[in-house]
Amino acid sequence: MKPTFKTEQESFWAGEFGDSYTKRNRDERQIATRTGIFGRILSRTSRISSALELGANVGQNLLALRALLPSVQLTAVEINASAVQHLRCIPNVTVHNQSILECAPEALGFFDLTFTSGVLIHLSPSTLRDVYHILHQCSSRYVLVNEYYNPTPIEVPYREHGERLFKRDFAGEMLDMFPDLELVDYGF
């Protein structure tokens, strides 16, 4: 039975386009780049023993985190079944094969770090508040939003598809939405 989704974007990423994206992004050399990026990010944090990535694809960010924090407990949420097959090959990663929009924060639990990396940009803008809520609710210490930035919301064509790439100030929106969040670094 084919799953039903709330948005066109979910169907897009769960389907053939998501499968192609997964194939294009299996370059293990990217793990070294991501390890460098996460090294800089982690230098601004302390005591991270667990992390949740929403939209993990094949797990390159998780592998980078594991290289830097060998004992970190990792959890991934991923909509695309092809990507999930790769995630399940990474030892000691809890994998949820589902849409981010179907996640119940209470079912996922709490993590020292919750994050997205190149995922919010591909979600329907109408769903962002729900995803921000998940990131915030599941975090016991840090929230990382590693996304394309634009000071005002815009849509950008993505590989000849409309309504598949959006830029905005995701972190700023989260800071406005959750007054208990404190900015550690904007990363620019």
Side-chain angles (χ1 to χ4, degrees), residues 14-74:
E16 289 179 29
F17 189 89
D19 292 346
S20 297
Y21 179 88
T22 296
K23 288 177 188 168
R24 285 195 311 274
N25 287 284
R26 289 179 40 210
D27 184 352
E28 292 188 12
R29 293 174 293 183
Q30 287 296 314
I31 297 168
T33 301
R34 292 169 192 261
T35 302
I37 291 167
F38 275 96
R40 287 190 298 279
I41 291 166
L42 293 177
S43 73
R44 306 285 289 145
T45 68
S46 64
R47 300 187 324 263
I48 293 182
S49 62
S50 60
L52 166 67
E53 181 175 13
L54 300 180
N57 196 255
V58 296
Q60 291 181 335
N61 294 320
L62 300 175
L63 289 167
L65 278 172
R66 176 69 50 72
L68 296 163
L69 302 169
S71 62
V72 69
Q73 295 175 343
L74 299 171

Side-chain angles (χ1 to χ4, degrees), residues 44-118:
R44 306 285 289 145
T45 68
S46 64
R47 300 187 324 263
I48 293 182
S49 62
S50 60
L52 166 67
E53 181 175 13
L54 300 180
N57 196 255
V58 296
Q60 291 181 335
N61 294 320
L62 300 175
L63 289 167
L65 278 172
R66 176 69 50 72
L68 296 163
L69 302 169
S71 62
V72 69
Q73 295 175 343
L74 299 171
T75 299
V77 174
E78 175 55 46
I79 195 170
N80 184 276
S82 297
V84 165
Q85 289 176 353
H86 295 281
L87 283 169
R88 289 199 169 127
C89 293
I90 303 171
N92 302 316
V93 175
T94 300
V95 180
H96 299 272
N97 183 195
Q98 66 186 117
S99 167
I100 295 168
L101 303 178
E102 298 298 321
C103 290
E106 55 279 359
L108 292 172
F110 295 102
F111 302 87
D112 295 325
L113 171 67
T114 61
F115 72 99
T116 63
S117 182

Side-chain angles (χ1 to χ4, degrees), residues 68-177:
L68 296 163
L69 302 169
S71 62
V72 69
Q73 295 175 343
L74 299 171
T75 299
V77 174
E78 175 55 46
I79 195 170
N80 184 276
S82 297
V84 165
Q85 289 176 353
H86 295 281
L87 283 169
R88 289 199 169 127
C89 293
I90 303 171
N92 302 316
V93 175
T94 300
V95 180
H96 299 272
N97 183 195
Q98 66 186 117
S99 167
I100 295 168
L101 303 178
E102 298 298 321
C103 290
E106 55 279 359
L108 292 172
F110 295 102
F111 302 87
D112 295 325
L113 171 67
T114 61
F115 72 99
T116 63
S117 182
V119 171
L120 297 178
I121 61 173
H122 296 301
L123 299 179
S124 170
S126 67
T127 65
L128 290 174
R129 290 182 66 82
D130 294 333
V131 180
Y132 295 161
H133 176 74
I134 296 165
L135 286 167
H136 180 261
Q137 197 70 22
C138 290
S139 176
S140 59
R141 296 187 56 81
Y142 299 100
V143 175
L144 167 64
V145 177
N146 183 23
E147 304 287 341
Y148 292 154
Y149 170 83
N150 203 67
T152 58
I154 61 169
E155 178 189 334
V156 180
Y158 182 70
R159 294 189 173 252
E160 301 179 19
H161 295 275
E163 297 185 351
R164 299 299 182 263
L165 178 62
F166 307 91
K167 294 182 183 182
R168 59 195 316 128
D169 184 0
F170 299 100
E173 290 177 356
M174 280 199 74
L175 288 166
D176 290 343
M177 190 171 163

